[in-house]
Amino acid sequence: MNNKVNLFLQQAKQWQEEMTLLRQIVLECGLTEELKWMHPCYTYKNHNIVLIHGFKDFCALLFHKGALLKDDKNILVQQTENVQAARQIRFTNVDEISSLKSTIKAYIFEAIEVEKAGVKIPMKKTADYTTPEELLEKFNSNPDFKAAFKALTPGRQRGYLLYFSQAKQSQTRKSRIEKYLPQIFEGKGLRDR
C-alpha cells in the first residue's frame, strides 16, 4: 500500500468507501500501487493497468488499454467518442462493486495479460482528425499562424482540432480560433496556462 494513496482516500470527499473497496480488489491482483495524475494508479512492471477515479455521479475503474479487453459482460464505457484506448467500469455504490468483484478481477487479470503480450492500440494520427474550414482559412490568411500551429506537439494540435470542430456554428469556430491565437503563437496547448 502506498502512503500517498492512503492520504488520497482519507481526503476523498465523495466515493471514499467505493474507492477503498476498489483499491482492495485491485491490490488482491498483485499490482503495484502508485499515485499518478493525483489518483490511485496500479501498474505491472511500470506499465499502467488501471486507475481509480471519482466523478460527480460515479466513481470508476479506468483500464488504460480497455479498448483491447474482450468485455464479455459489456460493462466497459468509453468516456467520450474521442477517447481511443481507455475504458471505464462505473459504479454508484459499494454493493455494485461487491457484486462484480470476481468480474472486476477477471478484467484486471486480462488487462495484465494484454500488457504482458505487449499489445499496442493503433492510435489515430493528427492528420486523421478533421481540420475545420475556418482554421484552414486562417492558415491561408496567416502563414505565421499556420507555422505556429504546426510547431505544436501532435497532442496539442489534436486538442485544438477537437475543440474547434466541436462548435456547431461557423462563427463560434472562428471566435474560438481567434481567442486561442495568442496561446498557439506561444506554443501552448488548449489547457496550458
Side-chain angles (χ1 to χ4, degrees), residues 79-83 129-134 158-174 176-177 180 190-191:
Q79 292 165 274
T80 69
E81 65 184 49
N82 297 314
V83 173
Y129 287 83
T130 302
T131 303
E133 188 62 39
E134 296 79 4
R158 286 190 298 272
Y160 283 118
L161 290 173
L162 289 170
Y163 180 66
F164 296 155
S165 297
Q166 287 171 345
K168 292 183 178 22
Q169 296 182 2
S170 177
Q171 189 55 46
T172 306
R173 288 189 291 274
K174 286 179 184 177
R176 286 182 179 186
I177 292 165
Y180 284 96
L190 190 63
R191 309 239 185 287

Side-chain angles (χ1 to χ4, degrees), residues 66-84:
L68 297 175
L69 301 181
K70 291 182 195 119
D71 194 18
D72 294 332
K73 303 288 185 185
N74 200 30
I75 57 175
L76 293 176
V77 176
Q78 183 177 3
Q79 292 165 274
T80 69
E81 65 184 49
N82 297 314
V83 173
Q84 297 180 58

Side-chain angles (χ1 to χ4, degrees), residues 21-22 25-26 28-29 59 61 63 71-76 88-108:
L21 180 55
L22 285 170
I25 292 168
V26 174
E28 289 173 7
C29 296
C59 69
L61 190 61
F63 290 82
D71 194 18
D72 294 332
K73 303 288 185 185
N74 200 30
I75 57 175
L76 293 176
Q88 299 174 328
I89 303 176
R90 296 177 176 176
F91 307 97
T92 57
N93 60 62
V94 171
D95 293 337
E96 278 182 310
I97 297 168
S98 295
S99 68
L100 285 172
K101 182 176 180 176
S102 62
T103 300
I104 294 167
K105 283 186 170 187
Y107 276 56
I108 292 169

Side-chain angles (χ1 to χ4, degrees), residues 130-147:
T130 302
T131 303
E133 188 62 39
E134 296 79 4
L135 186 58
L136 293 172
E137 289 170 10
K138 192 68 169 173
F139 289 162
N140 289 335
S141 68
N142 188 339
D144 291 339
F145 173 67
K146 181 178 182 178

Side-chain angles (χ1 to χ4, degrees), residues 5 9 19-21 39 51 71 74 80 101 125 132 151 159 168:
V5 175
L9 291 172
M19 290 190 291
T20 300
L21 180 55
H39 290 89
L51 180 107
D71 194 18
N74 200 30
T80 69
K101 182 176 180 176
K125 297 187 180 352
K168 292 183 178 22

